[in-house]
Amino acid sequence: MSPLPMTVAVGCVALSLGALLTEPLRRFALRYGVTDRPNGRKGHARPTPYLGGIAVAVVTLAAGAATAFAGGFGSPGLAVLLGGAAVMAVLGLIDDLRPLGPAVRLGVEATAATAVVLVGGHPTLLGGPLDAVIAVLWIVFTTNAFNLLDNMDGASSSVGAVIGVFLCWQAWWIGQAGLGLVLVALSGACLGFLLHNWHPARIFLGDSGSLFIGFTVACAAVLLHKDAAGLAAPAGLLAATLVVTVDTALVMLSRYREARPLLQGGLDHASHRLRRMGLTVRQTALAIGTFAAVGGLSGVLLAHGVLPSGGLLLAATVLGLATVALLLRVPSAAVPAPSVAAAGGVELSVGRQMARQTAGGAPDLRKEPSRIGESGMAG
């Protein structure tokens, strides 16, 4: 069977299963109270269940198991990747039910990433053991960057679907068919879940889903570039995950400039700033997904030899920095607005104004759930 029909078939099955499995998980979460409850610092108006990420993880891992069973597509690196991704889903589920400390989460993530790098390989950057350390750190960073991106309806799942498609394209191109099938299953499962997560969301990914997607995408990118050397590796990795890198850089720089704790959550992500620029929640998700598609397509063109690695690395860096600079000009929720006279002489900050607007049915700027770096925002 040729790659295209097989890819389409696996993607369609994964989409269907992802959509079907999400609904019973939603009902289960509602029944047992596994929900993100609204408060004055959250935009959604009613308790919304987590656990949607379990559907994405189950479908993706099932595709990996089926691939291994069918034979001919398996590899040690892929097997360890799937094992580590399963650990991420469990880790995230535990954190959804009972928040874990950053040290525990980082320790588990680093251990799983190390296993993937040692077994599956890594790009050559400096030509020594430090290359493996860099690869592990990059996987951990990207995993948590995806976790932070899950802050608005449809954002993380749409980006995961888009990046998965382009990484699948690269996998088939270089002959890693097994990895390609896992990636298209991930994309299909994300799209199936997105049917429930599209604004207004009826269920959220939760840490189980965002950590799973981030880890799978990050490790897949490393395995796809394990034979790369020089500028090809950083160019390809940055292009594939440009959107999450930009978002994380934006919030860290913003919080540093505003003298706020770097690990305290807030409504200062790229998605929230796009909302303040006038985009709707759905338009914001589409804009972020389009940005991810630009990076993904650039990575594919690099793999095909159409784009030079040095030129792509420079272009991605300039685009990322320009995007961060542009969005930094949009005030974050932490920056006080000019005083607005309220009844009784009370002055309202931007955050309170937004909260009142949200309560009145204005933009949904829901606060991201408890996660590493954002656990201080848990409600």
Side-chain angles (χ1 to χ4, degrees), residues 111-314:
T111 300
T114 299
V116 173
V117 169
L118 292 180
V119 176
H122 55 80
T124 300
L125 299 174
L126 304 176
L130 189 57
D131 287 348
V133 176
I134 294 174
V136 169
L137 292 176
W138 187 84
I139 291 173
V140 172
F141 167 81
T142 304
T143 299
N144 288 289
F146 259 95
N147 194 217
L148 299 180
L149 186 68
D150 185 27
N151 54 63
M152 185 171 288
D153 297 351
S156 189
S157 51
S158 60
V159 169
V162 169
I163 295 178
V165 167
F166 285 105
L167 289 180
C168 172
W169 188 348
Q170 293 185 50
W172 279 108
W173 173 255
I174 65 176
Q176 295 194 36
L179 182 56
L181 291 178
V182 169
L183 288 167
V184 75
L186 174 67
S187 294
C190 285
L191 289 175
F193 166 76
L194 190 58
L195 297 177
H196 302 269
N197 186 239
W198 196 242
H199 183 72
R202 301 170 65 240
I203 187 171
F204 299 154
L205 270 176
D207 287 353
S208 59
S210 57
L211 290 178
F212 176 86
I213 295 172
F215 184 85
T216 302
V217 165
C219 291
V222 168
L223 294 182
L224 289 172
H225 293 87
K226 67 179 181 179
D227 297 324
L231 296 179
L237 295 177
L238 179 59
T241 57
L242 183 60
V243 65
V244 293
T245 301
V246 165
D247 182 65
T248 300
L250 172 67
V251 296
M252 293 296 105
L253 182 57
S254 172
R255 293 168 191 178
Y256 175 78
R257 291 177 60 187
E258 296 166 9
R260 293 190 292 131
L262 297 181
L263 301 183
Q264 180 180 353
L267 298 171
D268 52 359
H269 289 264
S271 57
H272 303 130
R273 295 172 192 265
L274 289 173
R275 292 285 287 115
R276 295 186 192 100
M277 291 173 66
L279 272 64
T280 66
V281 174
R282 295 182 179 184
Q283 289 171 342
T284 297
L286 289 173
I288 292 174
T290 301
F291 196 87
V294 171
L297 179 59
S298 299
V300 169
L301 294 178
L302 173 67
H304 284 255
V306 176
L307 294 178
S309 56
L312 176 57
L313 181 60
L314 177 61

Side-chain angles (χ1 to χ4, degrees), residues 18-98:
L20 290 173
L21 289 177
T22 300
E23 180 58 24
L25 286 167
R26 187 187 73 85
R27 295 182 181 182
F28 177 88
L30 285 174
R31 179 177 180 180
Y32 291 98
V34 187
T35 59
D36 186 8
R37 298 183 179 277
N39 58 36
R41 295 159 71 183
K42 300 183 181 183
H44 56 290
R46 60 184 179 183
T48 304
Y50 288 128
L51 302 187
I54 297 299
V56 175
V58 167
V59 172
T60 305
L61 294 173
T67 298
F69 181 79
F73 294 124
S75 70
L78 178 58
V80 176
L81 183 157
L82 293 172
V87 171
M88 291 301 103
V90 174
L91 176 70
L93 177 60
I94 294 173
D95 196 45
D96 285 333
L97 300 176
R98 180 173 297 179

